[in-house]
Amino acid sequence: MHEGVMKAWLESSHLGGGNMAYVDELYESYLAEPTSVSDEWRSFFATLPKLDGVDLEVRHADVRQQFADLAKNKHREVVVVNSGGTADSRQVKVLQLINSYRFRGHQQANLDPLGLWQQSRVRDLELSHHDLSEADFDTEFNVGSFASGQEVMKLGDLYKALEKTYCGSIGAEYMHIVSTDEKRWIQQRLESVQSTPSYSKDEQAGILKGLIAADGLEKALSSKFPGAKRFGLEGGDAMVPMLKAMIHRAGEQGAKDCVIGMAHRGRLNTLINVLGKNPSKLFDEFAGKYEVVGAGDVKYHMGFSSDFETAGGNVHLALAFNPSHLEIVNPVVMGSVRARLDRREDRDGSTALPISIHGDSAFAGQGVVAETFNLSQTRAFKVGGTVRIVINNQVGFTTSNREDTRSTEYCTDIAKMVQAPIFHVNGDDPEAVVFVAQLAVDYRNTFKRDVVIDLVCYRRNGHNEADEPNATQPLMYQKIKKHPTPRELYAKTLIGQNLFTADEVSTFVSDYRDALDKGDCVVEEKSAVTAASVDWTPFLGHDWDSEFDASMSLDKLIELGKKATKLPESMVMQRQVGRVYEDRALMLAGEKKIDWGFAEILAYASTVSDGNRIRIVGQDSARGTFFHRHAVLHSQTDGATYTPLEHISADQGPFQVYDSALSEEAVLAFEYGYATAEPRAMVIWEGQFGDFANGAQVVIDQFLSSGEQKWGRLCGLTLLLPHGYEGQGPEHSSARLERFLQLCADHNMQVCIPTTPAQVFNMLRRQMVRPMRRPLIVMSPKSLLRHPLATSTLEELASGVFHNVIGEIDDIKASDVKRVVFCSGKVYYELLEERRKREQTDVAIVRVEQLYPFPHAEMAKVVSQYQHVTDFVWCQEEPQNQGAWYCSQHHFRGAIPQKGYLTYAGREASSSPAVGYLSVHNKQQQALINDALTIK
């Protein structure tokens, strides 16, 4: 306290004289810790006069300690902790400064190559905000956990280190992570080198050659094919050395596979300069000199695979095929990686690395990104972490105003939902880019979690090469036009450091151009492909009618059934589940017929006994939405689970069933990716209700139905979609059969509506035993699961035959038939029961169990006995504009006799799949049954 002010106060105070020592002691305690004194004294001290706005004085004890320290060391000021354990206030402020840089340094980092970003002032990073100044620069402070390798640093040196580490070419966001171990790991990696890596001359040459390759290919394509769309990488050239650095790092750490998913921008560059596709083939594609098998696809959607040589051995690279629907390829990549990991029995993701490459606007805008983040740590979908790269062009199509593209500061903020670290990096600093790439792979391999790299760059041309970007981003493109390429900038830096001469750089450029002109592979690391980890050869060239034998002996089937129902003695089941298993024992003994749930279980048991893997994923798949499957049992005493299908035999294939996250789009895409990478697995996605499959329509349209025609990709994925009209309303009735049938052509997939347990057993068996791998779409039942007529015998299961068409089953003379009703699914049993109730013998009912590919031969055989009939009816539950009527009636017309005619019996056309009231539903249902059976 100022002497004059203090004197005036003492003269007017009753606390002077002999009380001064006591008051001084109280005041010292108050300065150290205000709460250590009583409320009265705390209030009193708080009202003391202030000098020059200083809120709190320094304790005398601290001052004395400071002088003692200065006496010991006359050359520098040191801030230490006194004997009472209380730190100098500046020491605390220094630690707060370090923390501020860790939290918010990225907001002042030099990230934008164009210098267009308007960065707001961040007071937390200013010395004055922490009551520090340049006058303190020579004072040494303890730096706490700052990973500089020193316990104390001069404030000036620390400030420079913080600026270099957190406000240079790398902006690190990681303090949102809860795990202290992960944060400390990142701090150690960044702060120990101040985010400035040191690379050897050879490594720098490799980086430069990567930039030369990226730039050289785009220039060559622009020269050879001016105006052609190529979605060039220009501006984001650093992606090429980044990807190669990642692959090398992953290979050194034991990876055997690397699967990459990306949109179209930079894809051609990745194909040529990373995966090693021959440039001559790409040039031929541009020139139209290539043969297309199937429909084909544009150049910038095509995939490729190759082997890449690293210090740790070859890494097999696969660039996934994908459509223009942005971001949807990412869960496909994850599924493909999971299949590779499962095949190697790799539980933590060490042997396969997924890399997904995103656009900035799409990363923030497409909901499937959030879905895949949510899947990343779940049992069914974890792959040991994905390295995610955002090619941040700062513009999406023609939209660059942040207020239009997202509601967050960065396009990458969505990644914080899973506490993924985010490393923003300036695309014009290729060494920083490579450093971050290596850091990301190391983090992923250490913590088995997703990590995001935001490669801040630009797009030298418009959305495509025929676009004119100045129309919408004039200021940005005026800057881009004058801005040197990353290759030019980095070459200038290396020449300035006397590491390379201009002539040497020119030689690198001409060498790449010469190799490109020759059309030879330009990737030094490309290696001859060794034996593939999976052999697709046995599944090539087969169609849906290929011959196969799926039959099995009755004894074998019963043996499998016993193993699939054998339970540990300690298992205490829920009462209803116990009754299901008791019934299954009776079914095996022949005392009851086989129901739907048990037929499914037997199909799975037979499949794993053949050594095949089964993977079933859906929102209620372990139990079954409709309480019919019970593949996983839950003990009622301790909650332990038991899966009988995991205990069929010692050498069985794995059985995996997962209750998935509440997602359709990302989950179905994941399963598609899995199935395209593993032909010897029965991969099943089950909709909770078939109605919800339209949440994944993009996967069905762009991958499942057309992947083989566009890209030659085989896929044996099975979809179980509960479908049937039972009065449950518009969203719990229809799996949109019509949409699947509309997509059917080229024998691209199978669409089946089985109506008996034997049919579902043999349909599932056929999907694995037959050497064809194409999608199977199943309109699976709901009420039929327990329908008394929807049962089968063990003999029917063991036959191994799926009947694409099932003719009349009642004892009706063909010569007495005046009308033939065709139908599929649940409505068959309603027709059958009503006809029996009427004792009607002049109407035959024919079930079509496979609607596509349409079984012409089997239908002709069934219809052959009704050549005298002219009245044929197609009956369906769905409205007339939905279901099978519009897409399949030409098949029915082609199957009936020449003089016959075909009419429709069903609901009238409707914009809604079903009505909402049960009474209205029942009325409609009875009307269509009457219409189908009544001969006019």
Side-chain angles (χ1 to χ4, degrees):
M1 233 172 162
H2 191 275
E3 185 178 3
V5 176
M6 189 66 168
K7 181 179 179 183
W9 176 76
L10 285 174
E11 288 175 351
S12 62
S13 173
H14 64 279
L15 299 178
N19 294 329
M20 288 181 64
Y22 171 69
V23 174
D24 188 57
E25 185 178 341
L26 281 176
Y27 190 52
E28 288 278 287
S29 298
Y30 167 76
L31 291 175
E33 176 52 61
T35 59
S36 65
V37 300
S38 67
D39 293 342
E40 292 83 0
W41 279 111
R42 188 162 61 251
S43 298
F44 176 75
F45 290 140
T47 63
L48 293 178
K50 298 181 175 67
L51 178 66
D52 298 331
V54 176
D55 291 332
L56 198 64
E57 288 192 275
V58 178
R59 295 188 312 144
H60 291 168
D62 290 342
V63 174
R64 288 194 295 269
Q65 182 65 46
Q66 185 78 354
F67 276 107
D69 291 333
L70 285 172
K72 294 177 183 177
N73 189 337
K74 299 178 181 180
H75 302 292
R76 58 189 172 97
E77 181 184 5
V78 183
V79 175
V80 297
V81 177
N82 66 26
S83 58
T86 302
D88 181 279
S89 60
R90 286 185 300 165
Q91 174 64 68
V92 175
K93 298 293 187 181
V94 168
L95 297 179
Q96 290 174 343
L97 177 69
I98 294 171
N99 223 32
S100 293
Y101 271 90
R102 288 169 171 172
F103 269 101
R104 303 194 64 187
H106 58 89
Q107 292 179 297
Q108 294 291 293
N110 176 29
L111 300 176
D112 179 13
L114 302 177
L116 293 174
W117 284 11
Q118 299 296 318
Q119 293 177 318
S120 301
R121 179 183 180 186
V122 182
R123 285 189 54 81
D124 299 43
L125 305 183
E126 297 175 5
L127 291 170
S128 59
H129 180 76
H130 301 278
D131 297 329
L132 299 168
S133 69
E134 293 184 8
D136 300 308
F137 271 11
D138 288 332
T139 303
E140 290 192 346
F141 294 91
N142 188 298
V143 295
S145 62
F146 185 71
S148 62
Q150 306 173 64
E151 289 188 10
V152 296
M153 292 178 68
K154 289 183 179 181
L155 179 60
D157 294 338
L158 175 63
Y159 184 66
K160 290 178 183 177
L162 289 170
E163 280 283 314
K164 193 174 182 182
T165 302
Y166 290 108
C167 297
S169 295
I170 297 170
E173 286 191 274
Y174 64 90
M175 292 300 284
H176 55 277
I177 299 173
V178 171
S179 168
T180 300
D181 288 343
E182 292 181 37
K183 286 186 286 192
R184 289 283 169 82
W185 186 92
I186 294 170
Q187 289 162 8
Q188 177 63 39
R189 293 294 299 269
L190 294 176
E191 294 167 359
S192 62
V193 297
Q194 298 181 17
S195 296
T196 306
S198 176
Y199 290 113
S200 68
K201 183 177 180 179
D202 286 344
E203 290 170 325
Q204 290 173 314
I207 295 172
L208 177 61
K209 288 179 180 179
L211 296 176
I212 289 170
D215 181 61
L217 178 67
E218 300 297 350
K219 282 184 167 58
L221 291 175
S222 177
S223 174
K224 291 176 183 288
F225 309 101
K229 285 185 183 181
R230 52 188 165 84
F231 296 95
L233 184 61
E234 295 106 317
D237 309 50
M239 186 186 77
V240 169
M242 169 192 273
L243 285 176
K244 296 182 79 170
M246 284 183 179
I247 298 163
H248 276 292
R249 194 68 152 213
E252 291 165 5
Q253 297 177 11
K256 302 301 178 186
D257 281 288
C258 177
V259 184
I260 304 170
M262 66 184 302
H264 36 280
R265 183 155 318 284
R267 189 180 191 87
L268 301 183
N269 222 303
T270 303
L271 283 167
I272 300 301
N273 290 320
V274 179
L275 280 90
K277 179 176 179 176
N278 277 16
S280 58
K281 293 185 179 180
L282 179 63
F283 297 155
D284 285 348
E285 290 170 5
F286 270 98
K289 301 175 184 177
Y290 55 91
E291 293 184 7
V292 176
V293 178
D297 202 349
V298 293
K299 299 173 287 296
Y300 36 82
H301 289 172
M302 302 304 285
F304 193 76
S305 63
S306 63
D307 275 13
F308 189 99
E309 188 176 344
T310 75
N314 283 3
V315 176
H316 183 69
L317 307 182
L319 178 62
F321 297 81
N322 71 281
S324 282
H325 288 62
L326 299 173
E327 304 298 330
I328 191 60
V329 74
N330 303 314
V332 174
V333 165
M334 290 170 62
S336 177
V337 168
R338 178 62 180 255
R340 297 160 197 263
L341 295 175
D342 284 352
R343 193 159 55 236
R344 291 193 174 94
E345 298 183 354
D346 179 349
R347 304 300 181 197
D348 66 4
S350 299
T351 60
L353 172 68
I355 299 175
S356 58
I357 305 174
H358 314 257
D360 49 321
S361 290
F363 194 69
Q366 294 291 312
V368 72
V369 174
E371 289 189 29
T372 52
F373 272 125
N374 186 51
L375 298 181
S376 64
Q377 291 296 310
T378 59
R379 288 190 307 133
F381 308 106
K382 64 170 60 176
V383 291
T386 300
V387 177
R388 298 172 177 268
I389 305 168
V390 178
I391 306 298
N392 190 344
N393 298 313
Q394 309 181 55
V395 57
F397 293 97
T398 62
T399 306
S400 55
N401 188 332
R402 196 179 79 187
E403 293 181 358
D404 295 328
T405 59
R406 60 183 183 270
S407 298
T408 57
E409 181 174 6
Y410 298 113
C411 63
T412 52
D413 284 343
I414 187 69
K416 294 177 183 176
M417 66 179 282
V418 291
Q419 300 179 44
I422 303 162
F423 300 104
H424 310 276
V425 60
N426 189 317
D428 272 357
D429 187 343
E431 291 191 12
V433 171
V434 169
F435 171 72
V436 164
Q438 294 168 335
L439 174 64
V441 173
D442 292 349
Y443 173 88
R444 181 264 181 188
N445 287 344
T446 301
F447 297 105
K448 310 302 178 184
R449 299 180 63 85
D450 284 17
V451 55
V452 177
I453 298 173
D454 179 18
L455 180 65
V456 185
C457 51
Y458 56 90
R459 190 184 69 192
R460 187 163 289 277
N461 299 302
H463 174 62
N464 61 61
E465 285 65 31
D467 193 22
E468 178 44 73
N470 282 288
T472 50
Q473 277 78 33
L475 299 182
M476 175 185 285
Y477 275 86
Q478 287 167 22
K479 278 218 165 192
I480 290 174
K481 188 175 181 180
K482 300 174 183 177
H483 194 71
T485 66
R487 172 186 70 80
E488 292 169 338
L489 290 170
Y490 189 53
K492 184 177 179 181
T493 298
L494 296 180
I495 291 170
Q497 294 173 353
N498 294 320
L499 292 170
F500 297 94
T501 65
D503 288 342
E504 288 175 316
V505 172
S506 296
T507 300
F508 291 157
V509 173
S510 59
D511 287 348
Y512 178 81
R513 188 185 303 119
D514 292 343
L516 208 60
D517 289 340
K518 291 178 183 177
D520 297 334
C521 173
V522 294
V523 177
E524 296 176 359
E525 297 94 338
K526 186 179 180 183
S527 177
V529 176
T530 53
S533 58
V534 61
D535 182 13
W536 281 88
T537 306
F539 309 101
L540 301 178
H542 296 284
D543 211 338
W544 71 280
D545 54 358
S546 297
E547 293 186 1
F548 63 95
D549 181 9
S551 63
M552 65 172 53
S553 70
L554 200 58
D555 290 342
K556 174 69 172 177
L557 186 59
I558 293 172
E559 178 190 350
L560 290 172
K562 289 179 179 179
K563 291 180 178 179
T565 55
K566 185 178 180 181
L567 309 174
E569 292 183 2
S570 59
M571 174 59 65
V572 179
M573 289 190 288
Q574 190 267 344
R575 179 176 54 84
Q576 292 161 289
V577 178
R579 190 175 302 141
V580 168
Y581 270 74
E582 289 170 6
D583 285 345
R584 289 176 179 176
L586 295 175
M587 292 173 195
L588 286 174
E591 297 179 32
K592 294 187 72 171
K593 284 194 171 183
I594 306 296
D595 66 9
W596 199 282
F598 195 30
E600 251 196 79
I601 293 296
L602 290 171
Y604 301 144
S606 65
T607 300
V608 296
S609 73
D610 291 338
N612 298 305
R613 175 186 296 274
I614 291 180
R615 175 183 168 89
I616 307 172
V617 173
Q619 287 153 20
D620 293 298
S621 289
R623 185 200 73 174
T625 299
F626 307 102
F627 210 77
H628 77 288
R629 185 173 294 127
H630 301 292
V632 179
L633 305 175
H634 297 260
S635 170
Q636 300 300 293
T637 55
D638 59 6
T641 60
Y642 182 77
T643 305
L645 287 167
E646 293 178 347
H647 305 277
I648 299 300
S649 66
D651 57 351
Q652 71 170 77
F655 176 82
Q656 299 167 313
V657 58
Y658 297 102
D659 294 332
S660 77
L662 196 62
S663 156
E664 286 81 36
E665 184 177 12
V667 169
L668 182 55
F670 188 103
E671 299 310 305
Y672 172 83
Y674 195 107
T676 56
E678 184 48 86
R680 289 180 172 81
M682 176 183 286
V683 184
I684 298 174
W685 179 73
E686 181 176 45
Q688 189 181 52
F689 281 82
D691 311 63
F692 305 150
N694 60 9
Q697 196 66 45
V698 62
V699 185
I700 297 165
D701 291 346
Q702 311 305 133
F703 291 97
L704 205 61
S705 65
S706 56
E708 183 179 356
Q709 276 293 305
K710 292 189 295 188
W711 313 313
R713 304 299 291 168
L714 298 179
C715 171
L717 179 61
T718 296
L719 271 59
L720 299 181
L721 306 176
H723 173 89
Y725 282 60
E726 287 122 347
Q728 296 190 63
E731 274 71 60
H732 295 83
S733 298
S734 175
R736 298 287 188 173
L737 170 63
E738 66 280 355
R739 292 185 178 169
F740 290 98
L741 292 175
Q742 183 188 42
L743 293 169
C744 289
D746 306 310
H747 289 180
N748 59 333
M749 56 186 178
Q750 310 146 88
V751 179
C752 296
I753 313 182
T755 55
T756 71
Q759 283 287 87
V760 74
F761 174 87
N762 287 305
M763 175 192 68
L764 292 171
R765 288 269 299 156
R766 180 181 72 169
Q767 184 70 351
M768 285 304 296
V769 176
R770 181 176 54 187
M772 182 194 78
R773 291 296 177 264
R774 286 188 179 133
L776 169 62
I777 313 300
V778 183
M779 301 290 114
S780 54
K782 293 176 285 184
S783 61
L784 285 195
L785 295 172
R786 294 171 184 82
H787 197 289
L789 296 178
T791 58
S792 301
T793 64
L794 283 168
E795 288 79 7
E796 289 171 328
L797 270 66
S799 70
V801 178
F802 176 78
H803 300 281
N804 295 311
V805 180
I806 301 177
E808 179 57 62
I809 65 168
D810 282 356
D811 187 16
I812 293 178
K813 289 184 179 180
S815 58
D816 292 341
V817 172
K818 298 177 181 178
R819 168 178 281 191
V820 175
V821 178
F822 300 131
C823 66
S824 290
K826 176 184 75 71
V827 73
Y828 164 75
Y829 289 101
E830 293 170 275
L831 290 167
L832 180 65
E833 289 178 298
E834 180 65 22
R835 190 188 66 182
R836 288 175 175 175
K837 178 181 175 182
R838 297 182 181 188
E839 298 182 349
Q840 193 172 355
T841 60
D842 56 357
V843 175
I845 306 174
V846 175
R847 281 172 279 177
V848 184
E849 303 274 291
Q850 178 171 294
L851 284 165
Y852 191 84
F854 193 81
H856 293 283
E858 290 170 70
M859 177 65 90
K861 184 176 180 180
V862 170
V863 173
S864 64
Q865 56 190 314
Y866 305 117
Q867 291 301 302
H868 63 286
V869 178
T870 58
D871 185 2
F872 291 84
V873 176
W874 168 256
C875 179
Q876 67 178 38
E877 298 181 292
E878 303 87 353
Q880 188 173 13
N881 58 319
Q882 299 171 35
W885 173 243
Y886 280 160
C887 291
S888 298
Q889 58 177 286
H890 61 291
H891 292 307
F892 306 138
R893 295 186 196 281
I896 64 177
Q898 192 171 4
K899 294 181 180 180
Y901 58 89
L902 180 71
T903 57
Y904 168 83
R907 287 177 168 81
E908 295 181 358
S910 171
S911 57
S912 175
V915 296
Y917 292 97
L918 181 60
S919 59
V920 179
H921 162 81
N922 290 336
K923 184 178 179 181
Q924 290 180 342
Q925 197 76 4
Q926 189 58 50
L928 70 88
I929 297 299
N930 290 338
D931 191 21
L933 295 177
T934 302
I935 301 175
K936 301 177 179 64

